[in-house]
Amino acid sequence: MFPYASIHPEVASAATDLLRFDYYRLVDPRDHRVFAYDRDGDRLIEVDGPCYQLWNQDDPCLNCSSRACLTMQDAVFKIEYLDGRVLHVTSVPMDIEGAELVLELIKDVTDSLLVADIEVRDNIEITQMITKFNELAVRDGFTKLYNKTFINNELESLVQAARGGSPAGEAAVVLLDIDGFKQINDTYGHIAGDDALQYFASKMRSFSRSFDGWVGRFGGDEFVLCFTNQDDIANIENISMDIINELYEGYTTADGAMHIDVKASIGVAFCPEHTEDVNELLSFADTAMYFVKKNGKTNYHIYIPEDSATDEYIDPEGF
């Protein structure tokens, strides 16, 4: 391969002509609005319906390339499937009329797509491959929870919504770290440690479904629960206590040979309007979680920057 910067202009022109896109649209992934850009009037025209409606979905895409593009400030690519056609989507960040939008360029690659698998003989199998590929892009390979990429993209959307004063930005971010996870590995072995992670992931998945949220594995033994449309401190306190109580009895391995305690330190942060970015939001939850670590573990702490009166250790009865 040779650097594209050194390509001859005539060769580059031929490639550009062949790779021209079939469709475009402008998207604001923070609120899912779609725009066209009037060639004659140089103005943005909002189109009815959210961006994900194009893919016949009722909810935003889990593998939203435009949201990732806006977060990374770089081009992002994905493959989608629609009405029997395979589409290549390129998302590019743009600033139009002072609005930070994403240009989605779409090319139909159905007839030019070569799949290196002789077993793929029909559109059903290709659809399944694309669905699986897109699912893998946002899932942690071990626990099957959402991965760090998904977590960062979702929290970035919350931060942007909160800064714009939108109710969509109201959320509680819960950072959980398994207490004594290294000790579990050292005492029972890494297979038991893997079992503990799967047990914990299963519990957190149940909680996310019960309280209309989502859960991801941030890395190692650290997890993130996010409850959207949630700014009620008392309710989050109850949820945090429910998590602690649910984990308190631990679990017995499938062969009945060992009983393992799997507990967690929990840090909670809300998403205030002045939050600068995802890193700051996570740092609030991280600070709260480490406060618990320093004060006995297996507890929760809620961090609210603008109200120091609530920034104190909560010691529930019985722990």
Side-chain angles (χ1 to χ4, degrees):
M1 293 188 291
F2 309 100
Y4 187 79
S6 65
I7 194 171
H8 190 284
E10 290 186 12
V11 178
S13 177
T16 302
D17 289 341
L18 286 171
L19 295 174
R20 63 182 179 273
F21 294 96
D22 299 308
Y23 310 98
Y24 92 95
R25 62 179 184 166
L26 291 158
V27 172
D28 187 339
R30 291 160 296 202
D31 55 16
H32 313 295
R33 287 184 298 163
V34 180
F35 302 88
Y37 195 47
D38 183 11
R39 292 179 62 176
D40 300 322
D42 290 337
R43 63 191 181 91
L44 287 172
I45 302 172
E46 186 171 349
V47 181
D48 290 336
C51 57
Y52 49 85
Q53 220 171 51
L54 172 65
W55 311 114
N56 297 325
Q57 294 187 181
D58 296 325
D59 299 297
C61 304
L62 294 179
N63 64 324
C64 178
S65 56
S66 291
R67 185 169 48 204
C69 156
L70 208 58
T71 301
M72 298 165 58
Q73 285 298 299
D74 199 359
V76 175
F77 312 91
K78 71 173 179 177
I79 299 291
E80 285 289 356
Y81 192 83
L82 180 67
D83 298 332
R85 310 299 291 175
V86 181
L87 305 177
H88 181 278
V89 183
T90 302
S91 296
V92 183
M94 294 198 72
D95 190 298
I96 299 178
E97 297 182 5
E100 192 177 19
L101 301 174
V102 172
L103 171 63
E104 288 188 354
L105 301 165
I106 303 171
K107 182 173 178 61
D108 187 334
V109 296
T110 309
D111 299 327
S112 58
L113 181 67
L114 295 178
V115 181
D117 186 344
I118 60 173
E119 297 301 321
V120 178
R121 303 179 188 277
D122 54 44
N123 286 344
I124 294 176
E125 291 187 56
I126 292 176
T127 304
Q128 292 172 343
M129 288 175 61
I130 292 173
T131 300
K132 184 175 181 179
F133 178 80
N134 287 337
E135 181 75 5
L136 287 172
V138 296
R139 294 287 181 181
D140 171 60
F142 182 66
T143 63
K144 308 307 179 188
L145 300 179
Y146 291 123
N147 61 19
K148 191 172 182 178
T149 298
F150 177 90
I151 292 170
N152 284 332
N153 288 340
E154 285 294 311
L155 294 185
E156 178 64 31
S157 295
L158 288 174
V159 168
Q160 294 295 337
R163 292 180 68 179
S166 170
E170 293 178 354
V173 178
V174 182
L175 191 63
L176 307 103
D177 186 269
I178 298 177
D179 292 331
F181 183 68
K182 183 178 183 301
Q183 186 177 358
I184 293 174
N185 280 325
D186 292 345
T187 304
Y188 304 107
H190 288 279
I191 293 178
D194 287 347
D195 287 345
L197 286 174
Q198 292 286 14
Y199 166 79
F200 191 84
S202 174
K203 289 291 185 181
M204 294 308 104
R205 188 182 290 111
S206 296
F207 268 98
S208 68
R209 291 170 179 167
S210 300
F211 295 98
D212 192 23
W214 54 261
V215 60
R217 184 186 181 195
F218 202 68
D221 60 332
E222 199 164 73
F223 296 77
V224 174
L225 268 167
C226 182
F227 301 106
T228 53
N229 301 317
Q230 183 62 252
D231 60 357
D232 187 332
I233 294 177
N235 195 35
I236 290 299
E237 288 180 351
N238 290 335
I239 292 173
S240 299
M241 277 305 307
D242 286 344
I243 292 173
I244 292 171
N245 287 325
E246 185 71 19
L247 293 170
Y248 197 67
E249 293 183 359
Y251 77 102
T252 302
T253 55
D255 59 7
M258 294 181 293
H259 181 84
I260 300 176
D261 290 329
V262 182
K263 301 174 183 179
S265 294
I266 302 171
V268 183
F270 294 97
C271 190
E273 290 184 20
H274 64 265
T275 306
E276 288 295 325
D277 53 29
V278 171
N279 289 334
E280 185 177 45
L281 177 59
L282 285 172
S283 74
F284 292 155
D286 198 51
T287 297
M289 188 266 290
Y290 274 102
F291 185 90
V292 176
K293 289 286 188 186
K294 294 176 182 177
N295 288 272
K297 302 181 181 180
T298 314
N299 214 322
Y300 70 90
H301 177 58
I302 299 177
Y303 181 74
I304 303 178
E306 62 267 48
D307 185 359
S308 59
T310 63
D311 191 24
E312 59 186 34
Y313 186 61
I314 301 171
D315 186 15
E317 184 179 353
F319 294 93

